Amino acid sequence: MPHDEAQAIQELLSSYARLFGFFEAEGEELVIVGGAVRDLIAAAALPAKLDVDFATSALPEKTIEILKKNKLRFFTTGIRFGTISTIHADSGRMLELTTYRPDESYTPGSRKPEVSFGTSLEADLIRRDLSINAMALRGDGSIVDLFGGREAIAARRLEVPGGGLERTRIILRDDPLRILRIARFAARLDYRATDDTTTAATECAPWLQSISHERWKAELDKLLIAPQPAAGLRWLQQTGALREVLPEVLPLLESADFDRWCEALQQLPTEPHHLRWGWLLLGAAIAGAEADDATSWPEVAVRQQTVALLADRLKWSNEERQVVGELIALPLSTAQLAALPELELRRWIARTEPRVADQCALLVALGHLGSEGAALAPFLARVEALSGEASPVPQLPLGFGKVLMTELGLQPGPAVGQAVEAVKQAIIDGLLPNQGGAQDYLAWLRNRAATDA
Ligand code: ATP
Ligand code: MG
């Protein structure tokens, strides 16, 4: 065991020593499981940063009793799944303590019992998704590694506990989300799936349709913000899983530029993560357009429809929809972007703020593709010129609606809203100055009414 691993284990355990003691005193086993043990051994995260989950031989009621007895707060929201939560005194983080689950994975197709509990750590570990996630750390510092997790980490290998094609099929069929999790770990750790894993995933990929799309989204979000999304996406393409969950992005994966696109992705912040979705879909749109040789504006509606379909499928938030929708509405080529008519540019900024800076970050990242970077500069300069005081985002005088009513004799109702909208649109389009006086705007409205009459 390398020296710093022992030190990391001690550091981690010292902050949970009391909790381990409470369970030991009751004759119950308590262990740290899953991702924390993996990341600690792989030195993928510092002990203080680890997201620690526990497994225990104690039934949920017993866990509650132990926590109560030791005056620890507890929460029973996850009790249906055998999980009791408590708050970690040192970090203030929520900790989950889950009763051992028995291995049910050898009975595919049978209806799962609501929840059943096991008594053996071994059974709990073998039902986990990957051997690297199927290790446990005991309070005494020893590591329970029954399925070659440490060896798999050393070999950077993704395989199910127990391995073998037959068992892998059963495990992936049992919960096809595991296919997306494998891709996520490939992207995060740059590990490789074994041949058995890839074969079984290829067979089981169609079963992804049987699970909820919210679960897809959670894993795909994590994949996209990982350091090596290309590795995960390529594997999903190879197994056919990408065709199941994100067929829209296939043109990007098939493009000769894919690796360069992925380099561009590294330039993007991971917060907000929807920038990375924007990158993925814009990349797919560009790759698709290159394939069809159709880069012109009329394609915008089609692209936006694609985003809308995907947003529905992945249950995106309104913000995610909007950010990606705005982005996808931009011209695809940098030359077109630079030549965007002033009116279109002003309208885009007004619609897109406060996300213009994010969108530009994305375009800059994409500008790193080939020689497009320099061509992007005029566009960015024009956007910059329309910021601050020159921003087209309308700012009306306070109480402008009231002024409208008194000065123009309007009754409260839609007419007031329409007048306000007309002024805003005129500011966006540069027909009226922004942050002007109420009287100037009124004069414009009166003049317009006179011309209309
Ligand atoms: P992260 O560091 O991103 O949290 P993690 O491995 O801890 O990664 P979680 O989703 O937090 O992932 O799950 C915790 C553990 O639960 C995993 O390490 C794994 O052992 C087990 N697990 C989670 N989801 C599944 C699943 N679908 N099938 C089997 N085991 C799973
Ligand atoms: Mg975790």
Side-chain angles (χ1 to χ4, degrees):
M1 186 186 292
H3 171 70
D4 51 359
E5 181 184 305
Q7 203 180 339
I9 288 177
Q10 281 322 311
E11 201 179 313
L12 180 68
L13 290 176
S14 64
S15 88
Y16 299 102
R18 288 180 60 230
L19 195 64
F20 278 111
F22 298 151
F23 279 74
E24 202 181 334
E26 298 291 324
E28 296 288 357
E29 213 173 26
L30 180 73
V31 292
I32 293 176
V33 278
V37 187
R38 174 197 69 224
D39 286 349
L40 195 142
I41 292 178
L46 294 172
K49 297 258 176 201
L50 291 173
D51 178 19
V52 178
D53 294 315
F54 290 86
T56 177
S57 58
L59 291 172
E61 294 71 24
K62 184 71 187 281
T63 298
I64 293 175
E65 192 187 307
I66 296 173
L67 296 174
K68 254 191 194 163
K69 190 166 163 183
N70 293 288
K71 307 204 165 24
L72 291 175
R73 290 179 67 192
F74 62 89
F75 305 88
T76 57
T77 28
I79 197 162
R80 265 185 337 125
F81 309 104
T83 303
I84 305 296
S85 305
T86 184
I87 294 173
H88 182 217
D90 287 16
S91 66
R93 275 197 210 139
M94 193 69 98
L95 301 177
E96 294 190 340
L97 296 88
T98 305
T99 302
Y100 292 158
R101 300 282 305 277
D103 175 28
E104 293 149 5
S105 62
Y106 276 114
T107 51
S110 66
R111 276 186 65 83
K112 286 187 195 145
E114 275 291 281
V115 182
S116 58
F117 299 121
T119 47
S120 121
L121 176 58
E122 178 174 353
D124 182 276
L125 293 178
I126 200 171
R127 57 165 285 281
R128 289 173 184 268
D129 54 353
L130 292 166
S131 62
I132 59 168
N133 292 339
M135 291 181 282
L137 172 62
R138 294 187 191 277
D140 64 5
S142 59
I143 288 188
V144 183
D145 177 15
L146 306 170
F147 308 105
R150 187 186 280 284
E151 199 190 318
I153 287 175
R156 311 177 78 80
R157 200 166 64 217
L158 299 168
E159 66 194 356
V160 309
L165 183 57
E166 192 52 33
R167 181 162 174 87
T168 311
R169 274 191 192 118
I170 291 168
I171 294 223
L172 298 188
R173 170 66 187 84
D174 199 39
D175 180 4
L177 184 78
R178 292 167 184 162
I179 299 171
L180 301 186
R181 287 179 55 88
I182 292 167
R184 194 246 283 188
F185 289 114
R188 157 123 190 262
L189 302 164
D190 204 16
Y191 290 6
R192 298 270 175 279
T194 60
D195 289 349
D196 282 347
T197 311
T198 301
T199 304
T202 308
E203 289 173 19
C204 296
W207 291 102
L208 276 161
Q209 301 304 340
S210 68
I211 61 173
S212 88
H213 296 188
E214 284 90 345
R215 296 183 77 207
W216 290 3
K217 179 184 185 296
E219 291 301 329
L220 292 171
D221 281 349
K222 288 186 183 175
L223 184 155
L224 282 184
I225 60 166
Q228 310 275 350
L233 290 169
R234 275 212 193 286
W235 186 76
L236 288 178
Q237 179 199 25
Q238 187 190 348
T239 55
L242 198 65
R243 185 171 292 285
E244 299 296 330
V245 297
L246 288 174
E248 299 75 4
V249 309
L250 284 170
L252 180 60
L253 274 283
E254 285 154 9
S255 144
D257 274 340
F258 179 60
D259 287 330
R260 280 175 42 236
W261 272 88
C262 287
E263 280 167 32
L265 176 66
Q266 314 297 335
Q267 319 280 334
L268 285 175
T270 52
E271 283 290 328
H273 70 268
H274 37 256
L275 275 185
R276 293 190 164 212
W277 277 106
W279 162 86
L280 191 66
L281 292 179
L282 194 65
I286 293 177
E290 275 165 6
D292 299 347
D293 197 22
T295 48
S296 55
W297 274 93
E299 299 302 315
V300 167
V302 179
R303 277 182 252 145
Q304 282 182 314
Q305 215 171 7
T306 307
V307 173
L309 282 175
L310 190 96
D312 285 344
R313 188 174 343 122
L314 295 182
K315 318 266 188 266
W316 279 3
S317 68
N318 287 341
E319 197 189 356
E320 285 167 323
R321 271 169 201 270
Q322 227 172 339
V323 172
V324 182
E326 292 293 355
L327 189 71
I328 214 84
L330 283 169
L332 295 183
S333 86
T334 313
Q336 285 174 317
L337 207 55
L340 196 62
E342 188 70 4
L343 192 63
E344 296 296 341
L345 184 63
R346 295 181 66 92
R347 288 180 179 175
W348 176 71
I349 292 175
R351 275 200 316 267
T352 310
E353 279 295 17
R355 296 181 303 270
V356 168
D358 279 351
Q359 305 274 12
C360 287
L362 188 46
L363 292 170
V364 168
L366 299 178
H368 286 262
L369 291 173
S371 56
E372 302 260 292
L376 201 56
F379 172 78
L380 296 174
R382 290 174 66 203
V383 172
E384 178 65 31
L386 289 172
S387 65
E389 286 194 352
S391 166
V393 180
Q395 288 187 46
L396 298 178
L398 270 176
F400 183 58
K402 261 203 180 128
V403 178
L404 272 184
M405 288 190 275
T406 44
E407 298 270 337
L408 297 184
L410 294 176
Q411 295 301 314
V416 181
Q418 281 162 10
V420 169
E421 270 318 302
V423 170
K424 280 188 177 171
Q425 195 56 51
I427 294 172
I428 294 171
D429 290 353
L431 303 174
L432 280 172
N434 206 354
Q435 300 178 49
Q439 290 308 323
D440 296 338
Y441 296 151
L442 280 170
W444 182 81
L445 280 170
R446 284 193 181 107
N447 190 21
R448 197 180 67 134
T451 331
D452 283 356

